[in-house]
Amino acid sequence: MRSRKRQGPHNATDMAPTPGDSASEEARAAAPVHDDDETKECKESLDVEPHSPAPVEAPAVGEPLPKTALPRGGYAVETSVGPIQVGMPPETIKDSMSLGLPIPRHFVLPSERFVKALGPDMGINVAEFEFPAYCNFFFHRRTVNLIVKDAETEASIRAVLQETLFGPAELDIRQDYDDSVPDADLPNLGAELAFFRKFGDKRIEIDMLVSFTHFEENNVARIEDNGKVVEVHRDGDEFKIIDGARSVSVPDAIVGSALTEQQRSTEPFQPPLFGVTVLGNSHGFDPVGRTTGYIVWINKRGIMIDPPPSSHEVLEAYMISPKLITGIIVTHCHADHDAGTFQRILQENKVTLYTTATIHGSFLRKYSALSGLNADLLQESYQFKAMTLGRPLNIRGAMFKCFYSLHSIPCLAFEIAFQGKRMVFSADHMNDVENINSLHAEGVLTDARREQLLAFPWDCDVIFHEAGVPPIHTPMATLVNLPDDVKERLYVVHVGAKSIPEGSGLKPAPVGVENTINIVTNLSEFSRALEIMEILGSVDIFESLSVGHARDLLNFVKDITFQQGQPVMVKGEPGNDMMIIMSGLAEVIIRKAGGEIEFTKTFSMGDYFGEQALMQPKSMRSADIVAKTKLEVLRIERTDFMWLLRGTPVMDRIKQTVLAREAHTWTLIDLNTTLKFLTASQRTHFERCVTNTDVEQGDILWSAGSEHSAAVLVDTAEVEYEGPARQDTPFTRGTWVCEVDNCVHGRPAENALKVTKSGRVLLLSQSNVIHLLMRNPGLYLALLNRLWAE
C-alpha cells in the first residue's frame, strides 16, 4: 500500500519543510516563480483570501467530530490533522470559500465517482479532484492527499491528471488540420505544452500536486500528521472518521446542488436567430460567480459551449426545452470547462459533441478513467463530429473558423459568421503580444504560429475574451489597453467581477437567459420552414421519413396558438387531428369515471397528442388538455395525414403509442424508482417501444443460454428469474427486468425469466431495447450492469 506523505502547516505563505514530505518540498521549492506581491495579486484575482484556519479547540472527549454539509454535496469534517472532506463534486472549492472554511488538503473519494442514477444529478462527477489539487498546489504550496480505494483507483486518477495538467501523452495534431494546411504551418503544440509545464526552475509532475492514501484490506485508511493519527473506515454505505475518542459518520453518497435559488420563468424562452446566452462568466475559484459557459443560438437552435455543472437546471428554470439544444462544443479538458458536458450528454436525447480529434481523445480518456466505463461505450452516448482546423465548417448554416489558442493543454477557440455578422470565442488563451513574441524568440512558437496568434479577429461584431493570471491566461492589462472601439464590442469572461478595473471601458459578459445577446434578428424566407422541420424531425414517430414525405408534411401542418389556460382538447369531444408542440407547455388531465382527477402529465416542445384520432375515425378525446403556458402547436388533420402517410412505418408507430397509452404506461413508469425520472418526451418514446402482452403462469419469456431477445416492464403479472439471479420474491408491478448488457450485445441470457402469475406485461423486443437505450444514453447507463430495476 502506498502511504500518505506527511503534511506541513496550513499557512501557504510560510510553510516549513516537513521531513519525508518530498512532494510538498518540491511544491514549495517551485514556489519562488512568484514573489509575495505576485502571489497576493494572483490570489486576489482568483477571489482567494489568504488566511490560516483558526485553531480548533479540543471539545470534550466523546463528542462527535464537527461536520459541515456542503451546498454542492459532500461533507467537511474538522479533525486534529485539519479538515477532511468526503466527496468532491464540481466547484467544491467554492463551498469552502463561501462558507469561510479552511481549504481541505485531505479528500475521501466516494465509492461511486460519478452519478449514474437517472435524475437531475446524473452525470455529475463527485470525485472532481482537479481544482482542489490546483488550489492546494498553486496557492497553498502543498500537495493534496486523496484517500482512495486501491492502486487501481490511483492509476485512474493519474490518467485523468495527465490529460488535465499536461495534455495527451502522445500528440498527433496533423489529424486536427485540413489536408490543405502544410506541415510547416502546424504549431509545435508539444513545445507549447512543455513551456506551460514549467513552474519556476521545476518541471511540474503529478506527484508534486497529489499524494495518495489507500484503504487497507480491513477497509481502514490512516492519515498521520505530526504525531497525530486519524482513521477513515469504510463501513457499508458510510465513512466513519475516527480521531482519538471522537468520531463521526458521513454517507458514501454525495447529494447537493451546484445552484442557489434559481429565478424561474413563467413563459417559454424564445431563442434568437443568432445570439448568445451566457450561462456563467467567472472562473473555478470564484465563490460568487458562475463558471464560464455559453449557449450560442444559430437558426433558433442552441449549441452549448463548455456547459457549467448543473446548467440543465438553468435551462429548466427558464423553460428552455432540451430539444432546443442540438450540440455541445468542448474547448478543452479542464474541469471548469468540461464538468457539465458529460452531465448534459446524459440528460435526455443523444446530442452532437463538437471538438477536435485531439481534445476528443483527451475527453474520452478522462471520463473513461473517472467513470470506470469503457471508452467505446461512452462514445455511444453521443455523436462526435470533429472540428477541422484550417478550413471553415458549416454548422446549422453558420460558418465556424477554428484555431488552437495558447494554453497549457490543447484548447479550441473559434470565430462564427452568420448572415453577415461575426463573433469570436477566445476560450482559455494567453493572448498577449509581448508574451507571444517572447515565446517566438525562445523557439516555442513557430513563425506561422506566431502570425496566427497575432491575427486574432478583434474586428468581430461581438468578442468573448477571457482574462486571468498569466502565463496561461491573458493579463487584464492587455484588454485594458485595447482600442475603445474594440472594448465596446468585447465581453470579458473567466474573471470575477471585482477583477475588472473601474473606468477601464471593459465589461463582464451579462449572465442569464434574460440577458441573451441578440445579434441577428432578420428572419430569412426559409426560417419558419426550417423551424417546423426541426420539430417534425425531433418527433420519434416521424423517424426515417423520406425527404419527399417530409416536404409534403410541411405543406399540410397548420400553426395554432393557445393562450395560457385555454382548453386545447376536451374529453368526450370528437377528434380528427393530432397536435405537435412547437413551444410552450400543455397539461394533460386524466379523470376517473366520477370526474375527479386521477393524474396529470405535462407535455413540452416536440411532444404530441391526439394521435388516437388519426387511427380511429370519429374517435372521442380521452383526456382534457389545457395550455399551461402560451402554447404554439402544429396541427395535422386526419384526412391529410392518412393520404400522405398510409402504408409508411409511421402508422404502426402511432398505433403502438395509442395502445401503450391506453395501458397507462406512464403509471407503470411512475412506480419504478429508476424510470420515474424519464422526461415526458422519453416516456412517449418508451411507449412507442412496448407491446402489451398477456402471459400465463408457467410461460418462459426467455431461456438461459438462448439469445436475450427482450425486456419486460411488469404490469399485472408476476415474473421471476430462474438461474444465478433468482430472488426469494417475484418481480411485481412496475419492475423493469432485463439483462441489459447481454440484450444490447446479442449475447445469451444467463437466467431464464418465468411467469409465476398470469396477467399482463409490457414487452420490448431486442431491437426496441437497443433503439430506446441508444436514443436515451442516460437511461442506458442507469440500467447498465443491472438485471432489474424496481
Side-chain angles (χ1 to χ4, degrees):
M1 184 192 83
R2 183 175 178 146
S3 62
R4 193 194 68 79
K5 302 175 179 69
R6 296 190 64 184
Q7 178 187 5
H10 282 287
N11 193 336
T13 57
D14 56 6
M15 291 179 64
T18 303
D21 193 351
S22 60
S24 287
E25 288 173 6
E26 286 189 73
R28 285 186 292 274
V33 70
H34 298 299
D35 59 27
D36 289 345
D37 290 339
E38 289 175 314
T39 300
K40 182 174 182 292
E41 178 185 353
C42 185
K43 289 183 177 181
E44 287 177 347
S45 69
L46 291 174
D47 297 313
V48 176
E49 298 296 335
H51 70 280
S52 299
V56 178
E57 295 184 7
V61 173
E63 283 190 9
L65 292 168
K67 69 177 180 181
T68 302
L70 302 173
R72 289 170 173 80
Y75 291 85
V77 178
E78 295 181 28
T79 76
S80 60
V81 297
I84 298 175
Q85 182 171 322
V86 178
M88 308 166 73
E91 302 183 330
T92 190
I93 289 295
K94 294 186 177 185
D95 283 342
S96 298
M97 296 166 63
S98 62
L99 295 175
L101 300 174
I103 302 298
R105 181 186 178 190
H106 307 288
F107 291 86
V108 182
L109 269 66
S111 299
E112 290 288 344
R113 300 202 296 274
F114 90 111
V115 180
K116 298 180 182 178
L118 280 179
D121 292 330
M122 184 172 204
I124 289 181
N125 169 23
V126 292
E128 197 288 281
F129 40 78
E130 291 177 47
F131 270 72
Y134 300 156
C135 185
N136 274 280
F137 179 74
F138 290 107
F139 306 115
H140 292 281
R141 305 295 185 258
R142 65 191 183 196
T143 62
V144 70
N145 177 39
L146 302 182
I147 297 97
V148 301
K149 179 182 177 182
D150 51 27
E152 183 179 350
T153 305
E154 176 181 338
S156 68
I157 292 172
R158 289 180 175 277
V160 171
L161 289 173
Q162 169 64 48
E163 301 295 338
T164 62
L165 284 173
F166 314 131
E170 297 182 5
L171 277 172
D172 176 19
I173 64 167
R174 175 74 264 181
Q175 64 178 331
D176 300 330
Y177 283 81
D178 189 70
D179 292 341
S180 63
V181 178
D183 288 349
D185 289 350
L186 300 182
N188 186 350
L189 218 56
E192 295 177 20
L193 303 190
F195 165 78
F196 287 113
R197 194 167 175 173
K198 295 178 181 178
F199 199 65
D201 60 352
K202 297 282 186 178
R203 182 176 184 266
I204 298 178
E205 303 291 346
I206 290 175
D207 286 337
M208 294 169 64
L209 278 79
V210 182
S211 61
F212 294 88
T213 297
H214 297 173
F215 283 94
E216 301 176 2
E217 292 182 0
N218 61 355
N219 287 323
V220 176
R222 290 170 55 86
I223 304 173
E224 301 179 21
D225 193 353
N226 294 328
K228 298 178 180 179
V229 177
V230 173
E231 292 185 348
V232 182
H233 292 234
R234 291 163 54 97
D235 186 11
D237 58 358
E238 291 184 328
F239 291 107
K240 187 174 184 179
I241 299 175
I242 302 174
D243 188 0
R246 303 162 58 213
S247 67
V248 70
S249 294
V250 296
D252 185 14
I254 309 304
V255 295
S257 174
L259 295 180
T260 56
E261 185 64 27
Q262 177 65 56
Q263 178 182 350
R264 305 191 75 84
S265 175
T266 58
E267 289 294 332
F269 174 70
Q270 299 298 325
L273 192 64
F274 186 50
V276 178
T277 297
V278 180
L279 300 175
N281 62 9
S282 194
H283 52 73
F285 293 109
D286 183 353
V288 179
R290 290 185 184 161
T291 306
T292 296
Y294 322 84
I295 306 173
V296 58
W297 301 102
I298 304 171
N299 272 318
K300 295 193 172 185
R301 290 298 181 270
I303 298 175
M304 301 185 85
I305 303 171
D306 294 346
S310 298
S311 54
H312 68 283
E313 294 181 25
V314 178
L315 304 188
E316 182 180 290
Y318 283 95
M319 297 178 66
I320 299 177
S321 170
K323 291 186 178 179
L324 284 174
I325 307 301
T326 62
I328 300 171
I329 294 175
V330 177
T331 64
H332 62 297
C333 288
H334 280 158
D336 56 334
H337 293 266
D338 69 5
T341 299
F342 195 52
Q343 186 184 8
R344 176 61 192 91
I345 284 171
L346 300 178
Q347 286 303 313
E348 197 163 321
N349 295 337
K350 185 177 289 190
V351 298
T352 300
L353 182 67
Y354 299 96
T355 191
T356 66
T358 293
I359 297 172
H360 179 242
S362 283
F363 179 81
L364 270 181
R365 288 187 293 272
K366 175 178 177 177
Y367 279 90
S368 177
L370 282 173
S371 66
L373 298 173
N374 180 275
D376 292 337
L377 174 62
L378 286 182
Q379 194 165 351
E380 289 179 2
S381 64
Y382 58 87
Q383 180 182 7
F384 169 60
K385 287 191 176 179
M387 300 187 82
T388 303
L389 283 60
R391 66 175 171 85
L393 304 172
N394 188 321
I395 301 177
R396 298 193 53 78
M399 301 306 295
F400 282 67
K401 292 170 65 175
C402 306
F403 58 94
Y404 275 131
S405 66
L406 188 56
H407 198 48
S408 57
I409 61 174
C411 184
L412 182 69
F414 47 89
E415 175 188 335
I416 311 174
F418 181 78
Q419 289 195 13
K421 297 291 185 179
R422 295 161 56 228
M423 61 177 159
V424 63
F425 296 85
S426 73
D428 281 13
H429 186 22
M430 201 274 285
N431 192 10
D432 177 72
V433 173
E434 182 179 348
N435 281 305
I436 290 171
N437 285 330
S438 175
L439 290 177
H440 175 257
E442 293 176 25
V444 175
L445 302 181
T446 64
D447 292 344
R449 176 66 161 159
R450 172 181 174 274
E451 294 305 313
Q452 176 252 306
L453 291 173
L454 294 177
F456 187 85
W458 296 109
D459 60 333
C460 283
D461 298 283
V462 177
I463 303 165
F464 293 93
H465 202 293
E466 66 99 81
V469 180
I472 64 173
H473 297 291
T474 301
M476 182 65 71
T478 299
L479 302 185
V480 170
N481 292 327
L482 289 170
D484 289 343
D485 71 302
V486 174
K487 288 190 280 189
E488 289 176 2
R489 293 177 276 111
L490 185 146
Y491 295 99
V492 183
V493 296
H494 208 273
V495 293
K498 71 178 188 181
S499 298
I500 299 179
E502 292 186 13
S504 65
L506 297 173
K507 56 187 175 296
V511 175
V513 176
E514 70 277 14
N515 296 316
T516 293
I517 300 167
N518 198 336
I519 300 174
V520 171
T521 58
N522 297 324
L523 293 174
S524 73
E525 58 180 310
F526 303 112
S527 294
R528 186 59 176 173
L530 179 61
E531 191 174 0
I532 293 174
M533 290 301 295
E534 290 273 8
I535 289 292
L536 295 176
S538 72
V539 177
D540 55 2
I541 59 174
F542 295 136
E543 288 177 348
S544 306
L545 274 186
S546 68
V547 174
H549 278 122
R551 181 195 61 226
D552 291 339
L553 188 59
L554 178 63
N555 292 327
F556 284 133
V557 297
K558 299 177 177 65
D559 289 351
I560 302 179
T561 299
F562 297 91
Q563 299 305 315
Q564 183 177 9
Q566 186 177 351
V568 180
M569 292 182 180
V570 178
K571 182 178 180 180
E573 290 189 352
N576 66 348
D577 56 21
M578 167 186 175
M579 295 185 186
I580 304 168
I581 297 178
M582 282 280 288
S583 70
L585 301 176
E587 184 173 44
V588 182
I589 305 171
I590 308 297
R591 301 183 185 274
K592 297 180 181 178
E596 63 270 28
I597 295 176
E598 182 175 359
F599 72 92
T600 64
K601 53 187 177 182
T602 300
F603 284 146
S604 60
M605 175 184 169
D607 292 328
Y608 54 91
F609 47 85
E611 69 284 343
Q612 187 172 356
L614 303 182
M615 304 302 299
Q616 302 171 4
K618 300 180 181 179
S619 68
M620 299 296 177
R621 300 300 192 191
S622 59
D624 293 321
I625 300 180
V626 178
K628 198 170 182 177
T629 66
K630 182 179 178 181
L631 183 70
E632 287 186 79
V633 300
L634 298 176
R635 178 176 179 241
I636 308 175
E637 294 188 1
R638 182 179 186 278
T639 52
D640 293 334
F641 187 87
M642 297 299 292
W643 181 85
L644 176 63
L645 299 175
R646 186 188 297 274
T648 69
V650 174
M651 303 303 293
D652 291 335
R653 293 169 185 165
I654 290 181
K655 182 178 180 180
Q656 193 163 4
T657 301
V658 169
L659 292 174
R661 288 182 173 175
E662 289 176 347
H664 299 295
T665 304
W666 278 47
T667 302
L668 289 180
I669 289 174
D670 279 332
L671 294 174
N672 189 284
T673 57
T674 296
L675 301 181
K676 70 179 182 180
F677 290 105
L678 294 178
T679 65
S681 296
Q682 289 173 313
R683 291 174 182 225
T684 298
H685 186 226
F686 190 98
E687 287 176 324
R688 193 172 69 73
C689 293
V690 302
T691 301
N692 301 328
T693 305
D694 293 322
V695 294
E696 299 292 332
Q697 182 176 350
D699 286 352
I700 303 296
L701 299 184
W702 59 76
S703 301
S706 63
E707 183 178 358
H708 198 311
S709 57
V712 163
L713 182 62
V714 181
D715 192 355
T716 58
E718 293 183 359
V719 300
E720 69 178 13
Y721 274 132
E722 290 188 339
R726 182 182 177 90
Q727 300 292 299
D728 293 334
T729 57
F731 299 121
T732 56
R733 196 161 190 255
T735 304
W736 161 278
V737 187
C738 179
E739 299 175 12
V740 170
D741 300 13
N742 292 332
C743 186
V744 168
H745 294 99
R747 295 192 292 257
E750 297 175 11
N751 302 271
L753 188 65
K754 182 179 179 180
V755 179
T756 58
K757 176 186 173 183
S758 299
R760 186 174 59 200
V761 300
L762 303 186
L763 200 67
L764 293 82
S765 67
Q766 181 188 35
S767 60
N768 276 338
V769 170
I770 295 172
H771 182 73
L772 174 70
L773 298 182
M774 292 301 102
R775 185 182 172 106
N776 298 282
L779 178 60
Y780 184 21
L781 292 185
L783 296 174
L784 193 66
N785 300 321
R786 299 174 67 178
L787 302 179
W788 70 86
E790 294 179 307

